[in-house]
Amino acid sequence: MPAMEDHPSLVFLSGRVRFAIPVERVVRVVGATSFSTLPGAKLPILGIVNVHGRAAPLLDLREPGDGSVVGLSDRFVVVNGEHTLIVLLAEKIVGVRQTPLDGLVPIAGLSHIASMFRGVSQLDDDLVVICDVDYLVREAAGVLDALHQQGHEP
């Protein structure tokens, strides 16, 4: 049996789910700060965060009903896209783990935002959802473009 491909990922908890994103895409992790809400924004977009003078969409990957309040102990994971930043809401940072990427199980149809994930993998004694960072960045960039077209400056 061939060895599984492992990749260093930042693992974090949001709602009842553990998520993983590639470490090389993480710019920084900071304490949750204030953010501006966006009228008419739909989940997973919560609002816009100012990251050193750049507007970055704040995404909440929790399932509806898992919570909607950003708490003082929450963290913002700043993620680098090609031309934009996004910020993911994390309730707890688990740490950097070697995440198995071979044999990912698709989760299509199991979540309201399934297309944002590459799949599910086994990590330690639990499951971890592997985020599709490129998809998240494209979706967030679309939100920013729409705001600019409507004449709003985030």
Side-chain angles (χ1 to χ4, degrees), residues 56-93:
L58 173 62
L59 285 73
D60 183 356
L61 301 178
R62 297 176 290 189
E63 290 285 337
D66 270 0
S68 60
V69 176
V70 176
L72 294 175
S73 63
D74 290 340
R75 299 285 176 252
F76 286 169
V77 179
V78 181
V79 179
N80 192 18
E82 278 189 41
H83 304 290
T84 189
L85 296 175
I86 62 171
V87 179
L88 303 176
L89 176 62
E91 293 176 71
K92 179 181 178 185
I93 303 299

Side-chain angles (χ1 to χ4, degrees), residues 2-152:
M4 292 186 67
E5 174 191 353
D6 286 356
H7 192 82
S9 299
L10 177 70
V11 177
F12 62 95
L13 184 66
S14 194
R16 298 172 290 193
V17 179
R18 288 193 317 168
F19 295 97
I21 56 174
V23 164
E24 67 269 10
R25 302 296 292 272
V26 176
V27 175
R28 70 180 63 87
V29 176
V30 297
T33 61
S34 62
F35 63 95
S36 300
T37 58
L38 294 174
K42 296 179 183 151
L43 285 177
I45 305 292
L46 273 186
I48 297 289
V49 177
N50 181 336
V51 179
H52 299 291
R54 291 175 63 184
L58 173 62
L59 285 73
D60 183 356
L61 301 178
R62 297 176 290 189
E63 290 285 337
D66 270 0
S68 60
V69 176
V70 176
L72 294 175
S73 63
D74 290 340
R75 299 285 176 252
F76 286 169
V77 179
V78 181
V79 179
N80 192 18
E82 278 189 41
H83 304 290
T84 189
L85 296 175
I86 62 171
V87 179
L88 303 176
L89 176 62
E91 293 176 71
K92 179 181 178 185
I93 303 299
V94 175
V96 175
R97 301 285 191 274
Q98 290 297 112
T99 307
L101 297 182
D102 286 350
L104 289 178
V105 177
I107 58 173
L110 298 180
S111 170
H112 74 296
I113 50 177
S115 58
M116 297 184 176
F117 308 117
R118 292 182 55 200
V120 177
S121 183
Q122 183 75 31
L123 180 65
D124 303 325
D125 292 333
D126 206 351
L127 298 176
V128 63
V129 176
I130 310 297
C131 295
D132 184 339
V133 173
D134 292 326
Y135 182 91
L136 294 171
V137 168
R138 282 191 308 273
E139 288 295 303
V143 169
L144 290 178
D145 289 345
L147 284 172
H148 287 293
Q149 289 175 0
Q150 296 171 6
H152 299 290

